[in-house]
Amino acid sequence: MINWDPLGAAEQAAIADEILSVLRHDLRNRFAIVRNASFYIKRKVARDAAYSADPRIEEFFGIIDEEVIAASARLEESVDAARLFTRRSVRVSAAGCVRRAAACARIGASGGRIELSAQDGDVEADPIELAVAVRCLIENAVESTPGDGVVTVRGAGSGARYAIEVTDMGAVPCEVDTEAILRPFYSTKPGHFGLGLNIARRVARRYGGTLAVEPRAHGTSAVIALPLAATLAPGDAASEPAP
């Protein structure tokens, strides 16, 4: 029996985004180091008689510089993740995205339960991508909740924003090291990529929102806050549902 995951393509694209972002950042730094080192050595050897005597030396320094520039430019080329998932930003029911995320969460045989409450509120986002972000938070919370504990998922408008809060029942942390847990590939669980929070944060930022991780009396909360969509004027199109 084949189990179809309605959020699968968007999740694959999100993972690709995160991995490529890390690689680009690392390679940009390395290319800059190579260029700086090459420039420094060129200045030093240019004073040597051998530099003037052999024109190939200057030519090779030029090749190094050109190739590093070309390699850096390749990093900026669009990666074909769009073939996995085509993003589209629309006015969508945030509550519907939360319900979809909870329905598609892969909690396996953990025994954990999801307690869900989502109030109405519209945001501007891709409904599938937002559901993937919330699912990442739910699955992280389930993994951090021992036994048959409850993971609470809340969605509600708060001022000019819609807040989606996912709270686990893990051990009470002394403090949340946000810098560490949001570091790509950081995970305390063997066999995990450690990208769930990074994906959620990237999606939130893409649509003008934020991700915050905060300690609670029992466990930890991860909160996505997105701007509420502007109030519809008479005759405007209604928002797209996200069942």
Side-chain angles (χ1 to χ4, degrees), residues 8-89:
E11 183 179 59
Q12 290 177 38
I15 292 171
D17 273 346
E18 286 302 321
I19 293 174
L20 290 169
S21 176
V22 172
L23 289 175
R24 285 193 185 105
H25 178 75
D26 183 59
L27 289 174
R28 283 193 199 102
N29 289 340
R30 292 174 185 272
F31 288 149
I33 291 170
V34 170
R35 289 194 71 192
N36 290 338
S38 175
F39 178 73
Y40 177 81
I41 295 172
K42 180 181 178 181
R43 285 179 56 191
K44 289 292 185 181
V45 302
R47 304 169 187 171
D48 195 287
Y51 184 86
S52 302
D54 189 345
R56 292 176 301 174
I57 296 177
E58 183 174 8
E59 179 185 349
F60 289 152
F61 275 116
I63 290 173
I64 291 171
D65 204 45
E66 289 172 5
E67 289 301 314
V68 170
I69 291 172
S72 298
R74 289 290 298 272
L75 290 176
E76 307 307 323
E77 294 178 359
S78 60
V79 179
D80 215 359
R83 290 192 302 180
L84 298 174
F85 173 69
T86 302
R87 185 180 299 115
R88 59 193 182 93
S89 181

Side-chain angles (χ1 to χ4, degrees), residues 61-218:
F61 275 116
I63 290 173
I64 291 171
D65 204 45
E66 289 172 5
E67 289 301 314
V68 170
I69 291 172
S72 298
R74 289 290 298 272
L75 290 176
E76 307 307 323
E77 294 178 359
S78 60
V79 179
D80 215 359
R83 290 192 302 180
L84 298 174
F85 173 69
T86 302
R87 185 180 299 115
R88 59 193 182 93
S89 181
V90 297
R91 185 187 182 104
V92 66
S93 164
C97 293
V98 172
R99 287 192 290 268
R100 176 182 284 173
C104 295
R106 297 160 296 194
I107 61 178
S110 66
R113 293 181 296 114
I114 299 173
E115 185 180 282
L116 174 65
S117 173
Q119 299 176 12
D120 290 338
D122 289 352
V123 297
E124 294 284 344
D126 182 281
I128 300 296
E129 192 170 49
L130 179 54
V132 166
V134 179
R135 180 169 80 170
C136 286
L137 299 184
I138 293 173
E139 291 177 353
N140 276 0
V142 169
E143 290 169 357
S144 299
T145 299
D148 58 353
V150 177
V151 170
T152 59
V153 183
R154 301 281 182 264
S158 177
R161 298 208 153 201
Y162 191 93
I164 303 168
E165 181 175 4
V166 179
T167 305
D168 64 47
M169 291 183 64
V172 183
C174 297
E175 61 181 80
V176 176
D177 189 347
T178 306
E179 183 178 346
I181 64 176
L182 290 176
R183 190 179 302 136
F185 308 114
Y186 174 87
S187 177
T188 59
K189 308 176 186 74
H192 288 258
F193 280 124
L195 292 176
L197 288 175
N198 298 89
I199 289 171
R201 181 174 61 174
R202 182 178 293 273
V203 171
R205 287 178 172 176
R206 181 171 287 133
Y207 301 110
T210 59
L211 171 70
V213 181
E214 305 164 350
R216 296 295 186 229
H218 297 284

